mmCIF file of all heavy atoms in Angstrom:
data_model
loop_
_atom_site.group_PDB
_atom_site.id
_atom_site.type_symbol
_atom_site.label_atom_id
_atom_site.label_comp_id
_atom_site.label_asym_id
_atom_site.label_seq_id
_atom_site.Cartn_x
_atom_site.Cartn_y
_atom_site.Cartn_z
ATOM 1 N N HIS A 1 -13.825 4.835 -2.370
ATOM 2 C CA HIS A 1 -14.844 5.682 -1.762
ATOM 3 C C HIS A 1 -16.187 5.517 -2.467
ATOM 4 O O HIS A 1 -17.249 5.459 -1.837
ATOM 5 C CB HIS A 1 -14.449 7.153 -1.778
ATOM 6 C CG HIS A 1 -15.475 8.027 -1.144
ATOM 7 N ND1 HIS A 1 -16.485 8.634 -1.876
ATOM 8 C CD2 HIS A 1 -15.699 8.353 0.159
ATOM 9 C CE1 HIS A 1 -17.275 9.305 -1.041
ATOM 10 N NE2 HIS A 1 -16.817 9.152 0.188
ATOM 11 N N THR A 2 -16.149 5.406 -3.779
ATOM 12 C CA THR A 2 -17.384 5.225 -4.534
ATOM 13 C C THR A 2 -18.108 3.950 -4.111
ATOM 14 O O THR A 2 -19.339 3.950 -3.912
ATOM 15 C CB THR A 2 -17.079 5.171 -6.043
ATOM 16 O OG1 THR A 2 -16.438 6.389 -6.430
ATOM 17 C CG2 THR A 2 -18.349 4.997 -6.853
ATOM 18 N N TYR A 3 -17.365 2.858 -3.947
ATOM 19 C CA TYR A 3 -17.983 1.591 -3.535
ATOM 20 C C TYR A 3 -18.449 1.636 -2.083
ATOM 21 O O TYR A 3 -19.461 1.021 -1.733
ATOM 22 C CB TYR A 3 -17.022 0.423 -3.784
ATOM 23 C CG TYR A 3 -17.168 -0.147 -5.172
ATOM 24 C CD1 TYR A 3 -16.857 0.622 -6.296
ATOM 25 C CD2 TYR A 3 -17.645 -1.434 -5.372
ATOM 26 C CE1 TYR A 3 -17.011 0.126 -7.579
ATOM 27 C CE2 TYR A 3 -17.810 -1.950 -6.649
ATOM 28 C CZ TYR A 3 -17.489 -1.164 -7.757
ATOM 29 O OH TYR A 3 -17.660 -1.664 -9.026
ATOM 30 N N ALA A 4 -17.722 2.361 -1.243
ATOM 31 C CA ALA A 4 -18.182 2.546 0.132
ATOM 32 C C ALA A 4 -19.490 3.327 0.163
ATOM 33 O O ALA A 4 -20.413 3.011 0.920
ATOM 34 C CB ALA A 4 -17.110 3.258 0.955
ATOM 35 N N HIS A 5 -19.573 4.346 -0.687
ATOM 36 C CA HIS A 5 -20.766 5.193 -0.736
ATOM 37 C C HIS A 5 -21.961 4.474 -1.369
ATOM 38 O O HIS A 5 -23.070 4.499 -0.835
ATOM 39 C CB HIS A 5 -20.446 6.458 -1.532
ATOM 40 C CG HIS A 5 -21.639 7.325 -1.798
ATOM 41 N ND1 HIS A 5 -22.243 8.105 -0.824
ATOM 42 C CD2 HIS A 5 -22.362 7.522 -2.942
ATOM 43 C CE1 HIS A 5 -23.273 8.742 -1.348
ATOM 44 N NE2 HIS A 5 -23.369 8.409 -2.633
ATOM 45 N N LEU A 6 -21.742 3.824 -2.498
ATOM 46 C CA LEU A 6 -22.849 3.198 -3.223
ATOM 47 C C LEU A 6 -23.329 1.891 -2.598
ATOM 48 O O LEU A 6 -24.529 1.610 -2.565
ATOM 49 C CB LEU A 6 -22.437 2.930 -4.677
ATOM 50 C CG LEU A 6 -22.244 4.148 -5.581
ATOM 51 C CD1 LEU A 6 -21.717 3.702 -6.944
ATOM 52 C CD2 LEU A 6 -23.551 4.928 -5.746
ATOM 53 N N TYR A 7 -22.378 1.097 -2.110
ATOM 54 C CA TYR A 7 -22.713 -0.268 -1.700
ATOM 55 C C TYR A 7 -22.420 -0.559 -0.223
ATOM 56 O O TYR A 7 -22.622 -1.677 0.234
ATOM 57 C CB TYR A 7 -21.952 -1.275 -2.574
ATOM 58 C CG TYR A 7 -22.117 -0.998 -4.046
ATOM 59 C CD1 TYR A 7 -21.029 -0.624 -4.837
ATOM 60 C CD2 TYR A 7 -23.365 -1.081 -4.661
ATOM 61 C CE1 TYR A 7 -21.167 -0.354 -6.189
ATOM 62 C CE2 TYR A 7 -23.524 -0.811 -6.018
ATOM 63 C CZ TYR A 7 -22.425 -0.445 -6.778
ATOM 64 O OH TYR A 7 -22.578 -0.173 -8.113
ATOM 65 N N GLY A 8 -21.948 0.452 0.501
ATOM 66 C CA GLY A 8 -21.669 0.245 1.918
ATOM 67 C C GLY A 8 -20.475 -0.652 2.183
ATOM 68 O O GLY A 8 -20.374 -1.237 3.268
ATOM 69 N N LEU A 9 -19.559 -0.775 1.213
ATOM 70 C CA LEU A 9 -18.371 -1.606 1.403
ATOM 71 C C LEU A 9 -17.367 -0.882 2.297
ATOM 72 O O LEU A 9 -16.810 0.144 1.896
ATOM 73 C CB LEU A 9 -17.722 -1.916 0.046
ATOM 74 C CG LEU A 9 -16.345 -2.590 0.093
ATOM 75 C CD1 LEU A 9 -16.444 -3.972 0.734
ATOM 76 C CD2 LEU A 9 -15.733 -2.671 -1.305
ATOM 77 N N PRO A 10 -17.094 -1.372 3.501
ATOM 78 C CA PRO A 10 -16.095 -0.725 4.355
ATOM 79 C C PRO A 10 -14.707 -0.832 3.721
ATOM 80 O O PRO A 10 -14.236 -1.930 3.417
ATOM 81 C CB PRO A 10 -16.164 -1.529 5.663
ATOM 82 C CG PRO A 10 -17.514 -2.181 5.643
ATOM 83 C CD PRO A 10 -17.764 -2.496 4.192
ATOM 84 N N ALA A 11 -14.069 0.305 3.503
ATOM 85 C CA ALA A 11 -12.797 0.330 2.784
ATOM 86 C C ALA A 11 -11.823 1.284 3.460
ATOM 87 O O ALA A 11 -12.171 2.432 3.760
ATOM 88 C CB ALA A 11 -13.014 0.754 1.331
ATOM 89 N N THR A 12 -10.610 0.800 3.682
ATOM 90 C CA THR A 12 -9.562 1.610 4.303
ATOM 91 C C THR A 12 -8.327 1.596 3.415
ATOM 92 O O THR A 12 -7.802 0.532 3.077
ATOM 93 C CB THR A 12 -9.185 1.080 5.697
ATOM 94 O OG1 THR A 12 -10.344 1.046 6.524
ATOM 95 C CG2 THR A 12 -8.133 1.975 6.337
ATOM 96 N N GLY A 13 -7.859 2.781 3.038
ATOM 97 C CA GLY A 13 -6.636 2.908 2.264
ATOM 98 C C GLY A 13 -5.463 3.276 3.146
ATOM 99 O O GLY A 13 -5.595 4.092 4.066
ATOM 100 N N LEU A 14 -4.318 2.669 2.885
ATOM 101 C CA LEU A 14 -3.100 2.945 3.656
ATOM 102 C C LEU A 14 -2.043 3.527 2.724
ATOM 103 O O LEU A 14 -1.632 2.874 1.758
ATOM 104 C CB LEU A 14 -2.572 1.665 4.306
ATOM 105 C CG LEU A 14 -3.456 1.054 5.387
ATOM 106 C CD1 LEU A 14 -2.891 -0.277 5.855
ATOM 107 C CD2 LEU A 14 -3.606 2.008 6.563
ATOM 108 N N ARG A 15 -1.630 4.750 3.021
ATOM 109 C CA ARG A 15 -0.590 5.404 2.232
ATOM 110 C C ARG A 15 0.770 5.041 2.811
ATOM 111 O O ARG A 15 1.237 5.627 3.786
ATOM 112 C CB ARG A 15 -0.804 6.913 2.231
ATOM 113 C CG ARG A 15 -2.077 7.327 1.501
ATOM 114 C CD ARG A 15 -2.373 8.811 1.656
ATOM 115 N NE ARG A 15 -3.569 9.199 0.902
ATOM 116 C CZ ARG A 15 -4.191 10.367 1.017
ATOM 117 N NH1 ARG A 15 -3.710 11.284 1.877
ATOM 118 N NH2 ARG A 15 -5.262 10.633 0.308
ATOM 119 N N PHE A 16 1.417 4.055 2.201
ATOM 120 C CA PHE A 16 2.714 3.572 2.677
ATOM 121 C C PHE A 16 3.814 4.580 2.373
ATOM 122 O O PHE A 16 3.845 5.179 1.293
ATOM 123 C CB PHE A 16 3.069 2.243 2.015
ATOM 124 C CG PHE A 16 2.167 1.101 2.384
ATOM 125 C CD1 PHE A 16 1.481 0.404 1.416
ATOM 126 C CD2 PHE A 16 2.006 0.735 3.707
ATOM 127 C CE1 PHE A 16 0.650 -0.653 1.740
ATOM 128 C CE2 PHE A 16 1.174 -0.320 4.045
ATOM 129 C CZ PHE A 16 0.492 -1.013 3.060
ATOM 130 N N PHE A 17 4.735 4.706 3.322
ATOM 131 C CA PHE A 17 5.885 5.592 3.174
ATOM 132 C C PHE A 17 7.163 4.756 3.162
ATOM 133 O O PHE A 17 7.620 4.285 4.197
ATOM 134 C CB PHE A 17 5.925 6.617 4.319
ATOM 135 C CG PHE A 17 4.997 7.788 4.136
ATOM 136 C CD1 PHE A 17 3.622 7.615 4.233
ATOM 137 C CD2 PHE A 17 5.481 9.059 3.866
ATOM 138 C CE1 PHE A 17 2.756 8.687 4.071
ATOM 139 C CE2 PHE A 17 4.621 10.130 3.698
ATOM 140 C CZ PHE A 17 3.258 9.949 3.797
ATOM 141 N N THR A 18 7.734 4.543 1.976
ATOM 142 C CA THR A 18 9.042 3.913 1.742
ATOM 143 C C THR A 18 9.348 2.783 2.722
ATOM 144 O O THR A 18 10.118 2.936 3.671
ATOM 145 C CB THR A 18 10.177 4.958 1.780
ATOM 146 O OG1 THR A 18 9.782 6.136 1.067
ATOM 147 C CG2 THR A 18 11.439 4.385 1.119
ATOM 148 N N VAL A 19 8.743 1.637 2.473
ATOM 149 C CA VAL A 19 8.895 0.474 3.351
ATOM 150 C C VAL A 19 10.211 -0.237 3.032
ATOM 151 O O VAL A 19 10.575 -0.400 1.863
ATOM 152 C CB VAL A 19 7.709 -0.491 3.162
ATOM 153 C CG1 VAL A 19 7.757 -1.592 4.215
ATOM 154 C CG2 VAL A 19 6.382 0.269 3.230
ATOM 155 N N TYR A 20 10.920 -0.676 4.080
ATOM 156 C CA TYR A 20 12.194 -1.367 3.880
ATOM 157 C C TYR A 20 12.341 -2.471 4.917
ATOM 158 O O TYR A 20 11.623 -2.502 5.924
ATOM 159 C CB TYR A 20 13.370 -0.385 3.984
ATOM 160 C CG TYR A 20 13.684 0.044 5.407
ATOM 161 C CD1 TYR A 20 14.741 -0.528 6.115
ATOM 162 C CD2 TYR A 20 12.896 0.999 6.066
ATOM 163 C CE1 TYR A 20 15.018 -0.153 7.426
ATOM 164 C CE2 TYR A 20 13.173 1.376 7.364
ATOM 165 C CZ TYR A 20 14.230 0.793 8.048
ATOM 166 O OH TYR A 20 14.488 1.157 9.352
ATOM 167 N N GLY A 21 13.286 -3.379 4.682
ATOM 168 C CA GLY A 21 13.560 -4.433 5.647
ATOM 169 C C GLY A 21 13.925 -5.738 4.966
ATOM 170 O O GLY A 21 14.006 -5.819 3.730
ATOM 171 N N PRO A 22 14.164 -6.808 5.751
ATOM 172 C CA PRO A 22 14.501 -8.119 5.197
ATOM 173 C C PRO A 22 13.449 -8.616 4.207
ATOM 174 O O PRO A 22 12.263 -8.356 4.371
ATOM 175 C CB PRO A 22 14.553 -9.016 6.442
ATOM 176 C CG PRO A 22 14.856 -8.087 7.575
ATOM 177 C CD PRO A 22 14.169 -6.801 7.231
ATOM 178 N N TRP A 23 13.910 -9.316 3.183
ATOM 179 C CA TRP A 23 13.059 -9.831 2.106
ATOM 180 C C TRP A 23 12.472 -8.698 1.258
ATOM 181 O O TRP A 23 11.449 -8.864 0.604
ATOM 182 C CB TRP A 23 11.942 -10.737 2.640
ATOM 183 C CG TRP A 23 12.430 -12.001 3.254
ATOM 184 C CD1 TRP A 23 12.613 -12.248 4.594
ATOM 185 C CD2 TRP A 23 12.844 -13.185 2.566
ATOM 186 N NE1 TRP A 23 13.114 -13.512 4.766
ATOM 187 C CE2 TRP A 23 13.259 -14.116 3.544
ATOM 188 C CE3 TRP A 23 12.894 -13.550 1.214
ATOM 189 C CZ2 TRP A 23 13.727 -15.382 3.211
ATOM 190 C CZ3 TRP A 23 13.353 -14.816 0.887
ATOM 191 C CH2 TRP A 23 13.768 -15.716 1.884
ATOM 192 N N GLY A 24 13.143 -7.548 1.257
ATOM 193 C CA GLY A 24 12.636 -6.376 0.548
ATOM 194 C C GLY A 24 12.735 -6.485 -0.956
ATOM 195 O O GLY A 24 13.174 -7.504 -1.518
ATOM 196 N N ARG A 25 12.327 -5.393 -1.631
ATOM 197 C CA ARG A 25 12.267 -5.361 -3.093
ATOM 198 C C ARG A 25 13.599 -4.924 -3.693
ATOM 199 O O ARG A 25 14.123 -3.865 -3.326
ATOM 200 C CB ARG A 25 11.176 -4.388 -3.554
ATOM 201 C CG ARG A 25 9.786 -4.968 -3.500
ATOM 202 C CD ARG A 25 8.723 -3.938 -3.772
ATOM 203 N NE ARG A 25 9.107 -2.888 -4.715
ATOM 204 C CZ ARG A 25 8.522 -1.689 -4.767
ATOM 205 N NH1 ARG A 25 7.540 -1.395 -3.934
ATOM 206 N NH2 ARG A 25 8.912 -0.788 -5.639
ATOM 207 N N PRO A 26 14.123 -5.693 -4.641
ATOM 208 C CA PRO A 26 15.410 -5.328 -5.251
ATOM 209 C C PRO A 26 15.391 -4.014 -6.012
ATOM 210 O O PRO A 26 16.455 -3.434 -6.266
ATOM 211 C CB PRO A 26 15.686 -6.496 -6.212
ATOM 212 C CG PRO A 26 14.920 -7.638 -5.651
ATOM 213 C CD PRO A 26 13.686 -7.039 -5.059
ATOM 214 N N ASP A 27 14.209 -3.520 -6.399
ATOM 215 C CA ASP A 27 14.164 -2.256 -7.123
ATOM 216 C C ASP A 27 14.231 -1.044 -6.200
ATOM 217 O O ASP A 27 14.355 0.086 -6.667
ATOM 218 C CB ASP A 27 12.887 -2.168 -7.966
ATOM 219 C CG ASP A 27 11.620 -2.184 -7.113
ATOM 220 O OD1 ASP A 27 11.505 -3.080 -6.251
ATOM 221 O OD2 ASP A 27 10.757 -1.320 -7.302
ATOM 222 N N MET A 28 14.154 -1.274 -4.892
ATOM 223 C CA MET A 28 14.210 -0.167 -3.937
ATOM 224 C C MET A 28 15.664 0.258 -3.699
ATOM 225 O O MET A 28 16.586 -0.569 -3.762
ATOM 226 C CB MET A 28 13.551 -0.562 -2.623
ATOM 227 C CG MET A 28 12.069 -0.870 -2.754
ATOM 228 S SD MET A 28 11.087 0.584 -3.191
ATOM 229 C CE MET A 28 11.026 1.426 -1.614
ATOM 230 N N ALA A 29 15.855 1.530 -3.376
ATOM 231 C CA ALA A 29 17.207 2.096 -3.291
ATOM 232 C C ALA A 29 18.083 1.378 -2.270
ATOM 233 O O ALA A 29 19.248 1.074 -2.550
ATOM 234 C CB ALA A 29 17.121 3.586 -2.965
ATOM 235 N N TYR A 30 17.539 1.100 -1.076
ATOM 236 C CA TYR A 30 18.375 0.486 -0.032
ATOM 237 C C TYR A 30 18.906 -0.871 -0.474
ATOM 238 O O TYR A 30 20.031 -1.260 -0.142
ATOM 239 C CB TYR A 30 17.597 0.357 1.277
ATOM 240 C CG TYR A 30 16.445 -0.610 1.239
ATOM 241 C CD1 TYR A 30 16.604 -1.936 1.616
ATOM 242 C CD2 TYR A 30 15.185 -0.201 0.811
ATOM 243 C CE1 TYR A 30 15.542 -2.826 1.566
ATOM 244 C CE2 TYR A 30 14.124 -1.077 0.768
ATOM 245 C CZ TYR A 30 14.303 -2.397 1.144
ATOM 246 O OH TYR A 30 13.251 -3.274 1.091
ATOM 247 N N PHE A 31 18.109 -1.607 -1.248
ATOM 248 C CA PHE A 31 18.497 -2.932 -1.733
ATOM 249 C C PHE A 31 19.567 -2.807 -2.810
ATOM 250 O O PHE A 31 20.625 -3.460 -2.738
ATOM 251 C CB PHE A 31 17.254 -3.635 -2.293
ATOM 252 C CG PHE A 31 17.333 -5.130 -2.371
ATOM 253 C CD1 PHE A 31 16.496 -5.920 -1.602
ATOM 254 C CD2 PHE A 31 18.222 -5.754 -3.242
ATOM 255 C CE1 PHE A 31 16.552 -7.308 -1.673
ATOM 256 C CE2 PHE A 31 18.278 -7.138 -3.324
ATOM 257 C CZ PHE A 31 17.441 -7.915 -2.548
ATOM 258 N N SER A 32 19.294 -1.958 -3.801
ATOM 259 C CA SER A 32 20.257 -1.807 -4.903
ATOM 260 C C SER A 32 21.553 -1.150 -4.425
ATOM 261 O O SER A 32 22.640 -1.492 -4.909
ATOM 262 C CB SER A 32 19.635 -0.998 -6.039
ATOM 263 O OG SER A 32 19.249 0.285 -5.611
#
């Protein structure tokens, strides 16, 4: 937000909610 405000950098944040599926992360519960 600071960089968007100071320098006009368009920035979008995405709050991910527990992503799962093929090629997933071994540290995630569904994988382990």
Side-chain angles (χ1 to χ4, degrees):
H1 181 267
T2 301
Y3 271 65
H5 173 74
L6 291 175
Y7 309 115
L9 171 64
T12 303
L14 294 174
R15 294 173 178 169
F16 294 122
F17 280 70
T18 317
V19 188
Y20 75 101
W23 294 98
R25 280 172 33 202
D27 63 310
M28 297 294 283
Y30 67 93
F31 201 115
S32 60

